[in-house]
Amino acid sequence: MDEKLTEKQENVLRIVRNFFLDNGYAPSLTELQTLLNISTKRGVVGHLEALERKGYIIRTSEARGIQIIADEDDQEVYEYLVGIPILGYANAGTPMVIAQEQSLGTLQADRSLVGGSKDLFGLIIKGDSMNMRDLNGKKLEEGHYLVVQRDSDFENGDVVVAIVDGCATVKNIRKEDDVVILYPQSSNPIHKPIYLDVNSDSMINGKVIKVLENPNI
């Protein structure tokens, strides 16, 4: 990386790096076109070609195929950090909050913590119906973050996010013949299981694979 960058090229590289740190993956050409306020994708490609020629990035044929050649000091950040979008709340109680995607920020997590899983999103636990459930040594307590793998296969006893009557809830799951049981694991006896017909309109939105403590609660 001995060849000096122009001011514009430094700006492009900074934007690519910041996008990667915020999201855990590289920006698309369309996203870069918007972020750089450039009228054509060809203009974006020209900047990327210059960065590649000068040894700051590598481009591949894959979607979002920009790889940053990091300096020694920041190499681990780009290689190991993944951004997980927080899309709302998981009701650990009666399903009451409408299930609609929100933008509540991004969790930055080491890839090793999520086992290389893809198609992940985060939720914030709301309620205490799962506060006795332990997942990898962490309790599902109110205010903590859940990492959910969308549309993942599940087994009896897994923790899932389910959409019931248009509302999201997090519960243990068990399937028995024609019945799906979403059941709590709580110190509060008010919480009861939810029994669903396997052919109901309810949907399993994903499997919870990780609980991350929120240090601010």
Side-chain angles (χ1 to χ4, degrees):
M1 300 184 189
D2 295 331
E3 193 167 353
K4 186 175 176 61
L5 296 178
T6 67
E7 186 176 339
K8 286 185 178 180
Q9 290 164 0
E10 287 181 350
N11 183 52
V12 174
L13 182 60
R14 181 170 57 252
I15 286 174
V16 171
R17 285 183 171 184
N18 288 342
F19 189 99
F20 196 107
L21 288 173
D22 287 342
N23 299 279
Y25 50 80
S28 67
L29 288 180
T30 300
E31 288 164 339
L32 271 178
Q33 184 180 354
T34 300
L35 290 169
L36 295 169
N37 195 25
I38 295 177
S39 59
T40 66
K41 287 188 175 66
R42 181 61 238 175
V44 176
V45 171
H47 286 303
L48 296 178
E49 287 175 342
L51 292 176
E52 185 173 31
R53 185 173 62 251
K54 294 181 178 183
Y56 287 83
I57 67 170
I58 296 174
R59 294 184 301 149
T60 72
S61 59
E62 300 176 351
R64 303 183 181 275
I66 302 172
Q67 299 176 9
I68 296 173
I69 301 176
D71 293 331
E72 186 175 335
D73 291 339
D74 60 9
Q75 184 174 6
E76 291 188 358
V77 173
Y78 296 110
E79 185 175 355
Y80 295 114
L81 202 63
V82 60
I84 303 171
I86 306 171
L87 299 184
Y89 294 89
N91 292 280
T94 303
M96 295 180 66
V97 177
I98 299 298
Q100 56 185 10
E101 289 193 1
Q102 305 174 59
S103 179
L104 301 179
T106 303
L107 294 173
Q108 302 291 343
D110 192 302
R111 292 180 186 276
S112 65
L113 292 177
V114 294
S117 301
K118 298 181 180 180
D119 204 8
L120 303 177
F121 63 94
L123 296 171
I124 301 172
I125 302 174
K126 204 173 180 65
D128 63 359
S129 74
M130 294 292 285
N131 66 354
M132 297 301 291
R133 178 60 154 95
D134 184 288
L135 191 64
N136 302 124
K138 302 294 183 183
K139 291 287 197 303
L140 276 71
E141 297 178 340
E142 183 167 21
H144 289 337
Y145 299 109
L146 299 179
V147 179
V148 185
Q149 186 170 20
R150 196 186 302 270
D151 300 327
S152 176
D153 293 334
F154 62 86
E155 299 178 354
N156 286 348
D158 282 341
V159 182
V160 299
V161 175
I163 310 300
V164 180
D165 289 338
C167 299
T169 186
V170 56
K171 293 289 186 294
N172 299 306
I173 191 168
R174 188 165 77 240
K175 185 177 179 181
E176 296 181 354
D177 299 324
D178 59 346
V179 177
V180 173
I181 306 172
L182 302 174
Y183 60 98
Q185 196 166 339
S186 175
S187 59
N188 186 346
I190 194 173
H191 300 295
K192 306 299 180 187
I194 300 170
Y195 298 88
L196 303 172
D197 188 293
V198 293
N199 298 314
S200 72
D201 292 331
S202 300
M203 177 181 69
I204 307 303
N205 196 231
K207 181 172 74 173
V208 177
I209 64 170
K210 196 77 179 178
V211 182
L212 299 175
E213 292 184 6
N214 183 348
N216 295 319
I217 62 173

